[in-house]
Amino acid sequence: MIRARVAPTLRLFAPCPRGLEDALAAELVALGATVVARPPGGVAFDGDQAIAYRANLHARIASRVLVRIAQGAYRDEDDLYRLASAHGWEAVFRPDQTLRVDVSAIRSPLQSLNFATLRIKDAIVDRMRNATGERPSIDTRHPDVRVFAFLDATEATLYLDLSGEPLFKRGWRQRDDKGEAPLKENLAAGLLALSGWTPETPLLDPFCGSGTIVIEAAQAALDIAPGASRSFGFEKLADFDATLWSGLRSDAIRRSRRASAPLPIAASDIDPRAIEQARMNLSRAGLGSDAVALICRDFAGSLPPFERPGLIVCNPPYGERVALEGAAEQGGFAEFAATLRDGFAGWRACVLTSDRALPRQLGMKERRKWPLYNGALECRLFVFDIFAPGTAPRRNRAAAADTPGEVEPRD
Ligand SMILES: C[S@@+](CC[C@H](N)C(=O)[O-])C[C@H]1O[C@@H](n2cnc3c(N)ncnc32)[C@H](O)[C@@H]1O
């Protein structure tokens, strides 16, 4: 009797920027994964190898995809050594490949995470040498294989990284494109998900910098998989299924479209160098030159680029990350608010900022706010409905009147 081969279930974990766990879980479910848990900073999910490959190829919000390979109680570094050396690494990679180990911990009793890292690395290298007669070398910059260990107070979990370079590296940004604090691509995708944007909705990023937000949006609108033009860590592992992977990748490429007409997506910036950078990035991201309207202009006093109202999604310059400048400067918020009220009635603005006083500075009450982390920086994504001067519902006016120093609507 021929038995159908049942694909083994992998225990997978995708870290993501904190605050985006639910949005990532929804992405993974849409890819066929079974979501098991969503602790702060990631989503645990089950799936087979195809799901793991698809998550790498299609998930926009994940930072990486890891597969859990061992878990056990520990009290000291020797326990970590034993846990790591019990795994059959010789079946995972070859000794002529390079390795990197990273350890992170919450409430671990260990004195030194560096020593814990060293012991896990020793365990893997010793196991490989015993099994094959050769030892892999360490490469902390461009390793072939990455192992992540996560330690809590009593338990250690070892993960094998399937992504290699983090997934926010889509392959289109050049090394020298540091712009003015560009957003990570997966955070930009998360902002779009939280904003409720859909490809039919007109979208504007009026502080676009290198164009990260609109590139994410345009790729999503055209079904361009974020991982279609990069390589992944899983391609270097012994169990790499090249047929499965090339099938998934070809399907993704076949599904992607080129824009036959301009998309309802526009981006603007006061700095002509930013607009030039965004133009080059759009083209490297596989987007035709007229898919997204790029406009070099000051947002202050500007009007919407589309007739239908839509969504503004942006991170204006502020505080810790960039030098203050132009419309979003201290006091320049008044111009930002006036521009929204005078020209963008009927639009919804989703603004990522580390400045919790933004609603007060704009004199607007947010309809929602989402706590989010931009790297280590705690931020909020504030969502405002924009009303024409004098037409804000009572709720908004009351909020404005309650707060000192607010911008009064200009009737
Ligand atoms: C924090 S950066 C945005 C980064 C962008 N999200 C990215 O991922 O590259 C803010 C941008 O706002 C632009 N900017 C500053 N003042 C402006 C103004 N008054 N009007 C339009 N753009 C402005 C800056 O040139 C800068 O590119």
Side-chain angles (χ1 to χ4, degrees), residues 69-326:
I69 48 175
Q71 192 163 44
Y74 79 102
R75 269 192 297 202
D76 55 24
E77 291 82 359
D78 288 343
D79 291 333
L80 297 179
Y81 184 96
R82 275 188 287 276
L83 181 72
S85 58
H87 192 69
W89 296 101
E90 61 280 6
V92 174
F93 66 105
R94 300 185 315 270
D96 62 334
Q97 292 180 298
T98 55
L99 171 70
R100 172 181 169 139
V101 176
D102 287 281
V103 177
S104 58
I106 297 177
R107 292 186 298 275
S108 167
L110 300 185
Q111 295 292 318
S112 158
L113 290 190
N114 280 345
F115 188 48
T117 309
L118 201 67
R119 291 300 284 154
I120 294 169
K121 189 242 341 160
D122 284 348
I124 300 172
V125 168
D126 292 350
R127 166 94 193 204
M128 285 290 266
R129 199 186 34 219
N130 292 340
T132 68
E134 284 176 76
R135 45 165 298 157
S137 12
I138 301 302
D139 181 345
T140 52
R141 286 170 62 89
H142 303 292
D144 295 317
V145 177
R146 286 170 199 249
V147 173
F148 286 90
F150 177 72
L151 311 179
D152 68 16
T154 56
E155 233 180 29
T157 311
L158 298 183
Y159 295 96
L160 186 62
D161 173 38
L162 299 179
S163 301
E165 288 290 305
L167 295 179
F168 63 77
K169 296 194 179 177
R170 315 291 203 212
W172 54 257
R173 199 186 288 282
Q174 287 193 322
R175 267 170 205 274
D176 60 352
D177 167 18
K178 296 287 178 251
E180 236 189 288
L183 284 180
K184 286 196 173 136
E185 289 72 355
N186 60 336
L187 179 57
L191 301 185
L192 289 165
L194 295 183
S195 76
W197 173 80
T198 58
E200 304 75 47
T201 315
L203 177 73
L204 168 66
D205 177 356
F207 303 101
C208 73
S210 61
T212 320
I213 294 173
V214 291
I215 290 174
E216 282 304 309
Q219 284 199 333
L222 296 171
D223 243 334
I224 298 175
S229 44
R230 53 160 280 168
S231 56
F232 294 96
F234 61 73
E235 294 172 66
K236 296 196 169 155
L237 300 177
D239 69 352
F240 175 49
D241 185 336
T243 314
L244 173 64
W245 171 233
S246 77
L248 292 172
R249 198 165 167 275
S250 315
D251 281 353
I253 290 169
R254 213 172 306 118
R255 251 174 43 193
S256 68
R257 298 186 301 276
R258 287 202 75 78
S260 49
L263 300 167
I265 299 178
S268 57
D269 199 287
I270 198 168
D271 182 349
R273 288 164 307 174
I275 292 296
E276 194 40 43
Q277 189 73 63
R279 192 181 312 286
M280 289 187 310
N281 287 342
L282 277 158
S283 128
R284 276 195 296 270
L287 298 156
S289 57
D290 54 359
V292 170
L294 286 177
I295 312 155
C296 187
R297 69 174 184 189
D298 188 342
F299 182 57
S302 66
L303 290 171
F306 305 110
E307 280 174 14
R308 274 189 301 139
L311 265 178
I312 289 174
V313 180
C314 64
N315 69 312
Y318 185 79
E320 294 90 334
R321 298 298 302 266
V322 287
L324 300 178
E325 185 188 347

